[in-house]
Amino acid sequence: MASLSLLRQNSFFSATLSSQPKPKYASPGRVRMSLQENAPTIAVVGVTGAVGQEFLSVLSDRDFPYSSIKMLASKRSAGRRLTFEDKEYVVEELTAESFDGVDIALFSAGGSISKEFGPIAVERGAIVVDNSSAFRMDENVPLVIPEVNPEAMANIKVGMGKGALIANPNCSTIICLMAATPLHRRAKVLRMVVSTYQAASGAGAAAMEELVLQTREVLEGKPPTCKIFNRQYAFNLFSHNAPVLSNGYNEEEMKLVKETRKIWNDKDVKVTATCIRVPVMRAHAESVNLQFETPLDEDTARDILKNAPGVVVIDDRESNNFPTPLEVSNKDDVAVGRIRRDLSQDGNQGLDIFVCGDQIRKGAALNAIQIAEMLL
């Protein structure tokens, strides 16, 4: 079925759909430069999950130096075998002793695991880069996007003789601020309104699998299997599945509000968000409206974004070609388009932009590995 074959082109999916996945990283015959005797030791916590698998892919792609690597997961996943850079590893059960001798621990196993084992890893001397929400709003833990606020972790390095915690922001925050920050630096954002269109990958590998399954079932006229979201996801969209708070916002929306203020070190910036789950595999899209303190015209904004690290501009009005989740999937850069003056505001005090980024990659694993690179 053609529609499903497009979904299966996702490299992670081809692994998860097999009964005994055995992912491999690194092209045959490629000489690896990353395995080095004097390099740091690494542990990947949650290695069998969607982001854990992407950690390995990004480590390999970027030739991240390591002398050894531990593959850690739950007791349920322990004993599984996977191949990384032409070497076979056995997944180990996560325990306190797992972090003995580890320099950098990459966590993506959920907030409860991070809260339990993150401090243990730090106590044993590891620098933890945590992808969960467990420590993001802790005032003593830096919340870092390397292209945005690298100074927040300037004093943390491998070899400093003690452990530390660094938090990876939420995926929707990373993708948004990659585009908004270069403009904020020029004209200072006073207010930001964000609407997100979030992919299945944000809810994990099981949600991605269920989207494929539901698509098949609906096209075949069968009732869809609804285990992850308890509703039809294929050919549908709905308010983000995060719990709704007493103020009417859900937790995902409040992450964007609070994390933006912390990362920008600006408690006064006004942020509001509406987060929607859409039937897309692994890349988020976001509509962002910005109000500035000083005027910023759309041509200047376009030039700023073209020169921003980690950003690519796709903004062709003539051919109506702008960013899409599909074309940024499995890509490192965040794509920005629909750059235009907000006609509801006077002069050049506001802009509208449309942003797309791979949720598993820059929204999670790539950002974490970039943080790890800054530790060296």
Side-chain angles (χ1 to χ4, degrees), residues 18 62 72 144 153 188-189 266 280 344 363:
S18 64
R62 296 176 74 86
L72 304 174
V144 178
M153 55 170 286
K188 186 173 172 54
V189 172
D266 185 351
V280 169
S344 72

Side-chain angles (χ1 to χ4, degrees), residues 304-339:
I304 290 169
L305 291 168
K306 284 179 179 177
N307 290 292
V311 173
V312 60
V313 173
I314 304 174
D315 198 44
D316 187 347
R317 296 177 180 178
E318 188 173 339
S319 62
N320 202 5
N321 184 39
F322 303 104
T324 69
L326 192 59
E327 64 190 317
V328 300
S329 293
N330 297 291
K331 302 284 177 55
D332 288 349
D333 289 341
V334 168
V336 187
R338 300 300 316 280
I339 303 162

